[in-house]
Each structure stands twice: as C-alpha cells, then as structure tokens.
Amino acid sequence: MATYQPWYHGNITRSKAEDLLSKAAKDGSFLLRDSESIQGAYALCVLYQNCVYTYRILPNEDKKLSVQASEGVPIRFFSVIDELVEEYHKENLGLVTHLQFPVQKEEEPEEESEPINTPPQLPPRNFSGGTSVNDAKDSHCDSSKGHEHVWASISDTFMQRLQHVDMSNVPEDHLKSIQEYCRTSVCLDAEQVQNGNPSLPHLKKLTLGICKNLNSEISRTLPTLEAFQKVLDQQLSPGGGRLRSQVSADSSISVSFRLEQLTKLLYSIEEKARNAVFDSVGYDGGHRKSLIPPVTFEVKSDILSIPTKMYLKVDVESGKVYFKKSKDGSEDKYYVHNKILQLVKSQKVHNKLVIMVETEKEKTVRKEYVFDDSKKREGFCQLLQQMKNKHSDKPEPDMITIFIGTWNMGNAGPPHNITSWFQSKGQGKTRDDTADHIPHDIYVIGTQEDPLGEREWIDIIKSSLRDITTISFKQVAIHTLWNIRIVVLAKPEHENRISHIFSDSVKTGIANTLGNKGAVGVSFMFNGTSFGFVNSHLTSGSEKKLRRNQNYISILRFLNLGDKKLNPFDITHRFTHLFWLGDLNYRIDFPSAEAENIVGKIKQQQYQDLLCRDQLSMERAEGKVFLDYEEEEITFAPTYRFERDTREKYAYTKAKATGTKYNLPSWCDRVLRKSYPLVHVVCQSYGCTNDIMTSDHSPVFATFEVGVTSQFVSKNDPDNMSQGGITFMNCMATLRTKSKTKFFIEYHSSCLESCVKREGENQEHSEGSIKVRFAAPVELTPIISDPEYLLDQHILISVKSIDSDESYGEGCVALRLAETSQTDFYIMLTHHGEQTGTLSGGVKLRTSGGKQTEKLYDFIKVERDDSGCPKGRGGEFCNKPALPLPTDISNPNYMGVGYKAGSQTEKGWSYSMPPRPSPPPGHTGKDMSPGNLSPKKMGHDLAVRSPSAKASDHVTEDGKPAEMFDNPLYGSMTKPKTAVRGKEQDPQRKDLLTPPEAFFAFPKSSEQEADRPPPVPTPRNRSFTCTEAKTQSPSTLQPTGLAKKPVVPSRSEAGMMPANKPPLPMKIRPGDPQPIRPRDYRDSSDLPSKDRVPARPNKPPPKDVHHEASGKMGRPVK
C-alpha cells in the first residue's frame, strides 16, 4: 500500500511538497501526497525544469484509481496506487516527464515520550480457539501465571498507596473493608474482567458497605425533596411522582446515580423557588437577568478653573446617572440613559473621561471628569455601556461581551472558590471592583490536564457564575479530548440566538495518535455572526518550539468546525471572530543559567526584558505561527511554573532520571484572536489570577467587547429598492509557488446566493513565484442591497489551480472599505497557516438608498490626543494601505473607515494634513492590520459628536459658549486652511482625515529643515498591574507631572529647533508651577468652519499651555 512506500508523504502541505522537490533538483523527481481538495484522492507532484507539476489521482465508483493527465491520452485504471506509480515510470503516458527519482520523507527527530495520563487499559482477553488441546493447556497455564503476576502487582500497588494515605479520620470498619479489597478483592475483580465481566462486583460491594448509612439517608431524603418539588411545580404531572418514588425506593440502583438524582433535585428546587419568589414581587425573568447594584464613583471636575470633588452614582437597573456634590447628597440632579449621548476617553490622560449629555433645551453639554485611576474610569464606562444595552429599544443586540479563560489544572481539582478567575481579578489588565457584577454574555472556559468529569466541572463553573451574577447560565457546548476540555456557556436570553453548533478535536500527541496533546474546538452562529473557539495543549519542552509550530498547523488543517460550504478555507477564515486559547507551551529563550536573573526581573515587573525572548512572539514575528492574529499586551507575570499552593516561588528545576530539567518561568498560557477586517472587537482585560494555586499554572482570563449582526430586516420599501452590486476589478495575485498551472479565483460570502468563479491569466513567472491577473471586472449580486446590511459583510477570496482544484491562497475583503467610493485593496493570501502570496485590486459597492442606524458600541469612543504610532508589531498587509481617514466617523472602531449617518451634512474642522503615504511591506502599523481593531491601537483623533442627526450647540456647564484650545502635539487647531489647499481640492480626499504634517509647531530655521520628516511621539507603555498603588489622585484635571514639567523634545525633535527659539512663557518656566486648565480635546465637528478663530501669527503654542482663545470662543485663561 501507499502508506509503506518511500515516495508517499501522507498529508503534507502543497508548499512542503514543493520544497522537497526543489531540494531534489532533478527532472523526474516525484512524490505522492494526499489531495487537499478531495477526500480519498491523491496528488502526484513531479519536478521538471525547476517547476512542479501536480496531477490528481482520483478513485471512480469501483475505487479504481486513474491519473488526470494530458488530454488525448487514454485513461488507465489501477487497483492499487503502487501499480499506478510503477506504470508511470514509463514514458509518453501524458505526464510532463516520466517518473524517475522518488523523493523520500525527511526524517523527523524522535519525540521524547512524556508522562501520559491514560485511561486504565483492560487486560487482553484469553482466546483459545484455533489451537490444539496441548497448546491450549500450555497457553492457558502461561497466561494464568502472567495474569496472576499482574493481579498481584495491582494488589501490591494499592497496598503501598494505602500506607501513604492518612486514615486517622476513617472509621475502623471502613478501613478494614478497604484493606481487604486492596489485598485480595481487587485481584478477584481483575480476574472477573479477564473473563469478560467488567462490572467489578467486589468494588460495588465495598462502596455499598461504606455508603450504607448514606444510602439509607438518601432513601429517606429523596422522597421529601420530590414531594417539595411537586409543591413548586406549576403543573402536576400524574405518574411522574410515582416513578420517582420507585427510583427512591429501589436499593439496587448505585449510590452515585442516586446522588446525581439528589443533586439534580436540589438544583431544580433552588431554581423553581427563585423563579416563584421573583414572579411574586414582579421581577421580570429573575434567573435571566442579573441585578447590578448601584455604584458610586468619586471624581474631580474642573469648574471655573477650580478643581471640585464630585460623585457620580450609576444605577444600571433604573437607567440613571446621578451627579452629586457629596457622597450622601441629594439625588435630584440626574440624567436618564437616553440623554447620555457619548463617553469619550482621553488617550493621553488615562483617568480622564468626557461625558456628552443632552439638556432639557436640547443642548449638548460636555462634562469632563478625572477618576482616581484608569481602572475606575474603565469600570464606569462598562457600567454605562451595560446600562445602554439593558435599556436599548433594539430588538436584537449589536454588541456582546465574551469571557475567555484557560487553565492547565495540573491534574488537580480546583479550590473551593474560583470566582476571581471569572471576575478578571489578579495581575495584568484587570477589571475594576465596580464591574464585579456585570455578567458577560458568553463564557468560554478551556482546561488542560483536567482531572474532573464533565458534569462535575460544569456544575462548579455554573455555581461560581451563579454566585457572581445570580444567573443560571445555559450550556451551549462541551467537548473533551482526554484531559483537554472546552466549555461554552451563555445567558439564557441568548438561547434562541445561538445556532449551528459544532465541536471537534484533533490529536497531536506522539505520532499524532495520542490525545494527551491536541486541541478541542467549538463553533456556532450568534444571530448573523460566526464564532470559533479553539483550546489547545501543545508539545511541552523549551527546545521543542518547531514541534509546537507543527501542532498548530495540524490543528488548523484538521479541526473541522464552522460552515461546511467554506471547505477551501481553514478555520482562520471561516469565522467572523476566532479565539485561540490554551497551554501553548511556548517558553522564553534564555539559558538555564539565567534562571535566577529571570526570577529577579519578574519580581521587579520587568516583563518586557523577558518578553523580547518569548518564543511565541518571535515565531509570530517571523510569520511561522498565528499569522495575522492579535494578542493584547502582556502586563502580568509568567503563569508557569509555580510551586503548588503558593504564587511566591517558581519551581524551575525538575529532577529526572537523565538529570536536572529546567522549566524557566514562561508565559505558556495565552489567548489570541483573529477577526475579519473592520469589525468591532475590543479587549477589556487580559491577565492571570493570584489566588488559585492548586496547579503549577495560574488561570488566565481575557474579556472582549464584540460587535455582532442580526437577521437583517430592511426598513425600505422592497418595491422601490434598486438592485445592489459588488464589483471587483483589476485583481492581481502574486503566488509563492514553483507551479506553472492555470488559476481561477473564487468569491464566497453569506451575502451572495452562491460562490462566483473567474479564470485568470498567468502574467510572469520568476524564481519561486508567479503573477496571475484577473483583469475582467467581476460583478457579484448580493441578496440584499441595503447599505446597512452590505457594509457589515465580507467577501472571502480563494485562488485555486485549475489542474488540482487546490487552493493556493485565501484572503478576506471587508465591503465597508468601499462605503463611499471605489477603493483599492491589498491583502495577504494564506493557506494552512502559511503566507502564500498577496492579492491586490479594486472593489466598488453599489447599494440602495437608506441610512445607517447607530450601533450600541458607538457609545464609547477614544479621543486621540496623542498621534504617536501605536504599540505592537506592525503587520505587512492591510486592506487599504494608502487610504486616508474620514473626519466624520460614526464608528471609531472601524479603524478609520467611517460613514455618515443618514443625510447629515458635512461641517466642522479637520486638521490640514497631507495624505499618508503607502507603508512599505513590513511597516504597516498595527492599527491597520486586517485582523481588527481596538480603540487603544488607533493612532488618530476621532470625532466626538452627538449621535443624533441634528446639529447640536456645544456649551459648557455654566451655559457659556465652549472654549477651544490648541493641542501642542499638532500645532494650532485654528491654523488657516490655506497651507495645503491643493490637497483639500482633491475631490476624492476632501472629507478624509489624514496624519498631521507636523506634530510640533516649532518655527523652522531653514528651508532644508522644512523637508525634514516630522518626529512621531512615542506612545507610553503602561502596566495595568498594581494600578491603585501607583496612581495618585490629581489635584486638578491635569496630572501634576504634566503641569510642572514641559514636554522635552527627543533627539529627532531637537534637530528641528532653531538656535534662537523663543523663551518659554512665564506660566511654565521651571520652578514656577502654576495651576492651569487642561487642554480641551473636544472635536468641533458640529461647529461651522466660519466660526473658527484663526491662530495668532508667528507665535507657536508652548508645551502644556493652552492657547488663549478670543472673541466669542471664551475668556482668556489665567
């Protein structure tokens, strides 16, 4: 068979096959692999003149095999693959050249076996058929001796273990029974199993004896509980009670079954009693909605330049926010949820928040507050977002929150209390205490080395969540592979929104046959949004990162989740949102001798010094694994390897027979995500617990705010709607391959009735790559042409070979790109986790009329008052590399691609900036990666505006017109527009916001300096660990450090400063701190441009001092 032939390579990838043939470098070299497109088929790969030719070998109805070779050549059929290969060693049979040199598999290093917790293996049964009487006697004699030896071994093992167990609290009669079983009865049970009876009768006798009193107590208790349950039942069902009574009285039923019945009854009674009580007081849904208690925040406000302490009380249930001057003051001043228009977070001052509210006179008032720290601000924002969601008049949610948890339990049961894990408490980016009672919509919990049964673990999780949220969560899915498990729970109210649930597993243990390592996954649809979750446990060992990379690729290829219509795509493209969690086992690459230094750096929280050698980060940077995934910044200590029952000491040495093995502290447990481009997803927390210490790993948590779509119902008249259309044009694919085959392109999407195919034309072929042009425009007809529907859709693209129908690369394009006009795109093509090329082209969208509705997640925005490039590794590709950003952005999280609400007219100011140049490969910022976005990673100011379509007048709390101040990072906001008039006259760019021309407004000393590129302010790294210990309450809105110390230019800025620069104003000379008003970062998009006050000529705004506005814009600052 093919599996034993040296030229058969099994399920290796197409790119791996091409690499092996290239190394062979002989015409006629060949190998055989499994087909990627058709199950049960093969792909014959042949090298000729430095090109790889691939031929499909297909089975017919009679399972005869034939080669799809050149036209005109008679088809030959073969019973086995060996005969086929042997025949095609002959010439002139339709191949480009006959088969000559088989390419053998590369030898893989032997894997070191790891300790494996396998289920107990049953001894082999004794079959004597087919042997002579004497042989049977001899065989029986030998096997009996062998079995007696095994049984004695079992007995000795149990007796040795018994000696090491503390039995001081065990009753004497119970102890004797256990000793007797371990000494003799276990051997009798083993003999019974050997003879085909696996019921273990002696073990049952032992447990019945030990549980004698418990059994009688259950018999006494169960009928009482069953009777009480009938009282709580709304409808009595005749006959049901009699059946239960029989169960209670039947003593032959096992104790474990009766205990399970008892547990179920207690849960049922608890839930029914709660529902009855809630119904009696008129509370709607009791177990379905959590009761979030009111929370009060102490803040500082700045009224007339005087910092004032205030209190904000958030009552989620009533939908009100109270503004109080004292903690116990009157609550007569409040705003209802629909009058709170927007929350705007300051990016530079992490504890500052702007609240946009609507007054009785339909005026928009801007209120600025400073919280004690950034965590308090985040807690306030989460409570208000929950309030908005709770009181929204939308029939279906367009935003949910998801909790992701991963924990290697170390084959030990959990402690009694694990609620800190589900509340995101511990180290790293954590939730504030004020958000403790906010439930997430979906909980996904992945465990590794999990010793518990499925039901036991589910009950523990549900009980913990019930303690936190008062909600009885519904089980969506559970899947277990050996000790690797994934559990998905959801709020009861989402039960009918979740559909198309699939689960699967992949083994990646030794020889990919053992399930001690591998992955389990779950996928489902939440209304119109697809989700995938993968929990994996990869190969351990610091030196085995290549094996871990192979594990990842295997899981990608063989985990079968999601829409089966998307077969050309692996799981990285099948879901709107894919979350990958687990014990990935990547270590930090330091010598073992550095162990003490590593521990010292951890104690000093110098994590970045260690993360620079994190294997996963390095492999991702080189594009070897988790291509195009995102991971939130790590600000917590390594989660492995601790001494159990403490988090104060790392156990980084392990004694083995071969010597001392080092397990350096590492971030083994991770959560990564990959989403379609331009969708809303924000990481709210990422860290690990401090108080769960039963394992040598710490549990890791991550929470996300995610945008979702619902079944679309158009508000427009279907008879008057014009037909929509999606046009792709001038597409060019550059593929990494040595093949010269012809290619075609496929377009897939749920918004299309069926997939669309078009053939391409090979343009040029260079060493290792080929360019394929798809010049003819492709018109795709969507099933719904409403813009509100289409702009949330994505088109999946696959480039395939005509010969083998195998994919050479897949990618995704967001239709939101083409919202306003025809747009160019440039995306990465990947296949089975590898980058296989690029695809560029143009996309144009034609929609019917209609306006967009406001999304719930637009309620919170981030005000970009620091234009520095975002942190993180830059991606190589983006959907829109050279497209500037629009000024009127109603969804800030769409990575700079926004839309206008309805027919709202353009108004307001924007910075006068040149368009951003196209980034070279490898230098695209993280905020433009096609994966998705979070407000934290966007590098430009976003507009703050009233969500209503009508124009609103900005006024301050005292009723005076709002002042407008300069931001020194950008220069004067009121700078005349004539500077780049040529750019503004470009009709395609007049609405688009682009990066500033100069970030600092220092005068330039020479013409040569004018051509110098502007410096980019570096964003500050911040740790979310121990926030409250480090943060001091500021006395004014502006933190003390910023008020006293002017911004010092970097070296690159110093070169721009002239020798005769003007002196600093008196207000900010060193040693003379003055109380000042903070900069106002308000977006003035609702102010007509003619009302802007021009900046004073020839006077640059100094650092940390506000520009004095004049005229109607307010009084001077003193």
Side-chain angles (χ1 to χ4, degrees), residues 405-410 412-415 417-418 421-422 445-450 452 457 460 483 485 535 581-583 639 647 669 689 692-701:
T406 176
W407 183 24
N408 185 319
M409 300 175 70
N417 188 350
I418 57 173
W421 189 20
F422 303 120
I445 298 98
T447 50
Q448 309 84 39
E449 298 183 19
D450 185 342
L452 304 182
W457 182 228
I460 290 173
N483 297 104
R485 178 175 296 144
N535 171 33
L581 54 139
D583 180 2
T639 56
R647 297 295 93 153
D669 311 282
T689 63
I692 300 176
M693 300 177 286
T694 52
S695 170
D696 51 3
H697 292 251
S698 286
V700 168
F701 52 78

Side-chain angles (χ1 to χ4, degrees), residues 35 55 209 295 485 546 621 814 857 875 922 940 947 994 1031 1054:
S35 170
Y55 302 92
V295 181
R485 178 175 296 144
L546 296 181
Y857 48 76
H940 303 283
T994 49
T1031 308

Side-chain angles (χ1 to χ4, degrees), residues 856-958:
L856 282 173
Y857 48 76
D858 288 336
F859 176 59
I860 301 176
K861 295 186 179 181
V862 178
E863 188 169 44
R864 297 299 164 184
D865 38 26
D866 186 337
S867 60
C869 295
K871 298 180 278 190
R873 179 176 62 85
E876 184 175 349
F877 298 95
C878 62
N879 271 322
K880 194 175 180 184
L883 190 70
L885 304 173
T887 54
D888 187 2
I889 300 174
S890 53
N891 184 352
N893 302 298
Y894 278 151
M895 216 153 52
V897 182
Y899 57 82
K900 292 180 172 54
S903 57
Q904 185 176 358
T905 57
E906 298 174 46
K907 49 188 175 289
W909 59 273
S910 65
Y911 298 121
S912 298
M913 307 169 189
R916 190 200 310 199
S918 298
H923 291 78
T924 304
K926 190 172 183 179
D927 56 340
M928 291 298 289
S929 68
N932 21 316
L933 37 108
S934 62
K936 163 182 176 191
K937 293 182 173 61
M938 296 176 58
H940 303 283
D941 279 18
L942 295 177
V944 181
R945 61 175 184 80
S946 167
S948 57
K950 63 179 180 290
S952 55
D953 301 325
H954 288 279
V955 294
T956 57
E957 294 182 49
D958 55 6

Side-chain angles (χ1 to χ4, degrees), residues 676-690:
Y676 285 168
L678 306 190
V679 295
H680 177 80
V681 55
V682 180
C683 182
Q684 294 179 326
S685 67
Y686 188 34
C688 67
T689 63
N690 283 329

Side-chain angles (χ1 to χ4, degrees), residues 47-95:
L47 183 70
Y48 182 68
Q49 293 184 356
N50 204 30
C51 284
V52 176
Y53 295 82
T54 303
Y55 302 92
R56 281 195 296 182
I57 301 176
L58 303 176
N60 63 6
E61 294 177 356
D62 300 326
K63 297 187 178 179
K64 299 281 188 179
L65 301 171
S66 63
V67 177
Q68 283 190 331
S70 303
E71 295 182 7
V73 178
I75 298 178
R76 300 173 179 231
F77 293 94
F78 303 88
S79 299
V80 292
I81 195 68
D82 306 63
E83 295 175 3
L84 183 149
V85 172
E86 186 64 31
E87 181 67 19
Y88 277 86
H89 276 76
K90 301 175 183 177
E91 298 183 1
N92 302 322
L93 292 180
L95 304 184

Side-chain angles (χ1 to χ4, degrees), residues 976-1031:
K977 295 173 67 178
T978 57
V980 284
R981 177 62 60 189
K983 303 282 184 185
E984 294 182 355
Q985 288 174 348
D986 183 352
Q988 294 183 354
R989 299 180 181 271
K990 70 175 186 177
D991 298 334
L992 303 180
L993 176 64
T994 49
E997 180 179 3
F999 294 86
F1000 296 87
F1002 295 117
K1004 298 175 181 179
S1005 58
S1006 64
E1007 294 179 2
Q1008 288 77 15
E1009 288 290 329
D1011 296 328
R1012 183 176 184 140
V1016 179
T1018 304
R1020 296 180 299 178
N1021 291 326
R1022 66 172 190 193
S1023 170
F1024 292 85
T1025 308
C1026 305
T1027 307
E1028 299 197 16
K1030 294 183 179 181
T1031 308

Side-chain angles (χ1 to χ4, degrees), residues 636-666:
F636 52 93
T639 56
Y640 175 80
R641 180 179 182 251
F642 288 101
E643 282 194 5
R644 297 182 190 239
D645 300 322
T646 178
R647 297 295 93 153
E648 300 297 324
K649 187 175 181 182
Y650 286 93
Y652 51 81
T653 58
K654 187 189 235 181
K656 299 190 77 175
T658 54
T660 302
K661 181 181 179 182
Y662 280 82
N663 286 303
L664 297 180
S666 299

